[in-house]
Amino acid sequence: MAAVHGLIRPERDTHLGGENPFESMMARFDIAAQQLNLEPGLHQVLRHPERQLIVACPILRDNGQVEVFTGYRVVYNTARGPAKGGIRFDLGVTLDEVKALAAWMTWKCAVVNLPFGGAKGGVLCDPSTMSMPELERLTRRYTSGIIDLLGPDSDVPAPDVNTNERMMAWIMDTYSMHKRHTVTAVVTGKPVEMGGSLGRREATGRGCMIVTREALKGLNLPIDSRTRVAVQGFGNVGSISAKQMAGLGLKIIAVSDKDGGIYNEKGLDIGDVLEHVRQQRFLKTYTKAERISNEELLELECEVLVPAALENVITDDNAGKIKAKIICEGANGPTSATADQTLQDAGILVIPDILANAGGVTVSYFEWVQNRGGYFWDEETVNNRLEKIMVESFNEVAGMAARHGVSMRIAAYMVAIDRVAKVHRLRGMYA
Ligand code: NAD
């Protein structure tokens, strides 16, 4: 008998921390909308996703059995341009999570002023239990399930948790086979050999480094080894953030992955740690530092904390114990809405996710532009253009925060909502 996956939701783990991610996003949206005096009609429009698609993805497992996975794609808003947003393969995927992430993408693209709307996709599955051929079949079947939404001018996916360049190549191929010609711009985060952009893999971590550097300058903190950094998560975002911040001269005292962290108060040799993970995959076998738990890492004595793993790791329970002066949110939604006030009262500068990790989508935008133009840029051009956008966006958000006396998070939402709302007003209501 075919197993039916996704009809019964497994208990969520630490991902949600008990807070509904869509409501958590909306809590901040409502505060920002109120600050902007957003008219009630537009407020209602921006509270609703444009389209929500749920698809069944039957695939043949290697053992010959058919299994049906549930896939989602939510297009939140396309007022400013084609929808843009990643696809995650995870056991924690729910429609509410995908809706929240799609809304975050809308605000993120608007904060850094890209001509994109927001979307997100996900498949409820445990990729760690699947072979590469099974993952390929699932990626292709999911792509064909949502193909009516996709297109360079309508909805452009990218990698997210547990999806990577390899899968983006399969998405591009599946879409192109249906269209009967090669369409590189339908997806970003592709391998460089088939239309990916130089600098894309490093872009999110590089962006985190740039906004952290600007925040350090703003707080008159030294940009050298007196500034200690702790990074939670050592995947794409965490490891590159650590490497980039070490390159800036900061002292990385702790990093972690899902099994826990490593700590050295004198500073870790990040090149050595990266090489270890390249060879052994996990940090737990690294012997040249003390071991600490993920919870301890968040509460370390340091100047900069970079949560770069999961949602809702900073909550009411631990927000009061955080000692960092700056939190750079590499992950999407690492702080629960209820913890915002505690961090603000403690005078901690939070660089919010929709700004801090926007380097990734910015270089995805560069990839889309290069694909459409058929002309590719060198890495220096990519990095210089990313630097300019991240610095300008940081300053815009900081300016908004100062003018309105609000946190950087609410200011980032205000910049974003204001931009999306302006386009809605100019386009008018088609009804
Ligand atoms: P990844 O899969 O490459 O890495 C995730 C890391 O988190 C791994 O080191 C993993 O071991 C660790 N981790 C997993 N569970 C953990 C736990 N319980 N405690 C501590 N660490 C844990 O993913 P990524 O691409 O680096 O994405 C991380 C976050 O950044 C996600 O929230 C993602 O949405 C966000 N993000 C990613 C990008 C990008 O370009 N990759 C862009 C913007 C935002």
Side-chain angles (χ1 to χ4, degrees):
M1 228 197 47
V4 180
H5 209 102
L7 292 183
I8 302 169
R9 283 270 302 104
E11 279 300 304
R12 276 303 296 255
D13 53 18
T14 49
H15 274 58
L16 290 182
E19 197 168 290
N20 176 311
F22 190 69
E23 281 163 18
S24 169
M25 185 280 301
M26 271 304 154
R28 279 80 168 240
F29 171 87
D30 286 341
I31 299 171
Q34 204 175 9
Q35 283 281 339
L36 288 168
N37 284 321
L38 193 67
E39 52 271 45
L42 210 38
H43 192 150
Q44 279 304 310
V45 170
L46 296 182
R47 276 185 131 265
H48 289 86
E50 282 176 17
R51 288 170 154 206
Q52 304 176 59
L53 182 60
I54 305 178
V55 290
C57 306
I59 65 153
L60 204 58
R61 298 297 299 247
D62 292 343
N63 63 10
Q65 298 257 317
V66 171
E67 190 163 354
V68 183
F69 294 86
T70 302
Y72 304 91
R73 185 75 185 169
V74 174
V75 171
Y76 198 83
N77 188 287
T78 54
R80 290 169 51 84
K84 188 87 195 78
I87 292 169
R88 62 173 57 177
F89 281 6
D90 194 60
L91 270 181
V93 167
T94 63
L95 182 59
D96 262 350
E97 180 187 68
V98 178
K99 269 163 61 181
L101 290 161
W104 270 321
M105 283 307 298
T106 308
W107 317 136
K108 192 182 298 185
C109 291
V111 165
V112 284
N113 214 358
L114 307 179
F116 281 142
K120 204 79 181 189
V123 179
L124 179 54
C125 66
D126 181 359
S128 68
T129 62
M130 298 174 74
S131 68
M132 282 299 262
E134 288 174 336
L135 286 170
E136 176 171 357
R137 291 196 283 275
L138 183 57
T139 305
R140 288 185 185 277
R141 188 62 200 236
Y142 169 70
T143 304
S144 85
I146 63 165
I147 206 158
D148 291 341
L149 294 178
L150 302 183
D153 290 313
S154 49
D155 181 10
V156 185
D160 192 65
V161 175
N162 294 326
T163 57
N164 56 27
E165 289 181 0
R166 193 76 202 82
M167 293 161 180
M168 300 308 113
W170 292 327
I171 293 174
M172 188 280 243
D173 182 67
T174 307
Y175 183 85
S176 298
M177 296 312 283
H178 281 261
K179 295 293 160 190
R180 319 301 292 166
H181 62 103
T182 296
V183 188
T184 51
V186 69
V187 65
T188 61
K190 299 179 293 294
V192 171
E193 297 82 350
M194 54 171 284
S197 178
L198 293 169
R200 171 65 185 90
R201 198 176 300 155
E202 297 79 20
T204 309
R206 179 179 284 274
C208 287
M209 175 275 286
I210 294 168
V211 291
T212 299
R213 186 194 64 207
E214 296 306 300
L216 287 168
K217 282 190 211 162
L219 294 181
N220 282 324
L221 288 167
I223 303 181
D224 60 28
S225 61
R226 285 170 291 172
T227 292
R228 298 160 298 175
V229 182
V231 182
Q232 185 188 55
F234 207 63
N236 174 285
V237 181
S239 69
I240 308 277
S241 294
K243 188 176 169 202
Q244 293 279 329
M245 290 186 198
L248 201 59
L250 311 186
K251 191 198 288 180
I252 315 299
I253 57 166
V255 296
S256 71
D257 62 17
K258 66 180 174 41
D259 302 315
I262 54 173
Y263 168 71
N264 184 344
E265 64 172 347
K266 296 200 172 69
L268 297 163
D269 177 346
I270 287 300
D272 191 52
V273 178
L274 279 167
E275 183 52 27
H276 175 88
V277 170
R278 200 182 61 77
Q279 288 179 19
Q280 314 233 352
R281 279 189 71 197
F282 300 112
L283 292 166
K284 62 184 170 201
T285 45
Y286 192 80
T287 50
K288 294 177 222 164
E290 278 174 49
R291 287 206 58 79
I292 53 165
S293 69
N294 265 300
E295 293 71 32
E296 287 167 335
L297 180 142
L298 294 172
E299 295 167 19
L300 279 175
E301 284 282 354
C302 62
E303 282 68 43
V304 178
L305 175 63
V306 186
L310 301 173
E311 292 141 32
N312 285 342
V313 291
I314 301 173
T315 64
D316 274 347
D317 295 337
N318 61 359
K321 299 182 200 149
I322 287 177
K323 299 174 193 76
K325 296 188 171 65
I326 296 170
I327 297 176
C328 173
E329 293 186 335
N332 285 313
T335 308
S336 71
T338 49
D340 278 353
Q341 195 60 48
T342 311
L343 298 177
Q344 204 178 342
D345 292 346
I348 299 171
L349 176 65
V350 179
I351 312 172
D353 46 10
I354 58 172
L355 170 65
N357 67 38
V361 73
T362 301
V363 178
S364 273
Y365 163 60
F366 295 164
E367 181 174 330
W368 179 82
V369 169
Q370 292 171 78
N371 290 163
R372 290 168 73 98
Y375 179 73
F376 287 84
W377 313 343
D378 60 30
E379 195 162 349
E380 198 187 347
T381 304
V382 171
N383 290 344
N384 288 342
R385 289 179 175 170
L386 172 65
E387 162 85 25
K388 184 168 184 293
I389 288 180
M390 293 307 294
V391 171
E392 280 174 7
S393 305
F394 180 90
N395 289 335
E396 264 165 328
V397 172
M400 181 70 96
R403 281 195 303 284
H404 290 265
V406 295
S407 67
M408 286 284 279
R409 187 184 313 283
I410 296 304
Y413 274 76
M414 288 171 71
V415 169
I417 294 167
D418 193 36
R419 285 194 176 132
V420 178
K422 271 191 183 126
V423 175
H424 270 281
R425 285 187 206 108
L426 286 166
R427 287 179 64 149
M429 191 70 69
Y430 177 66

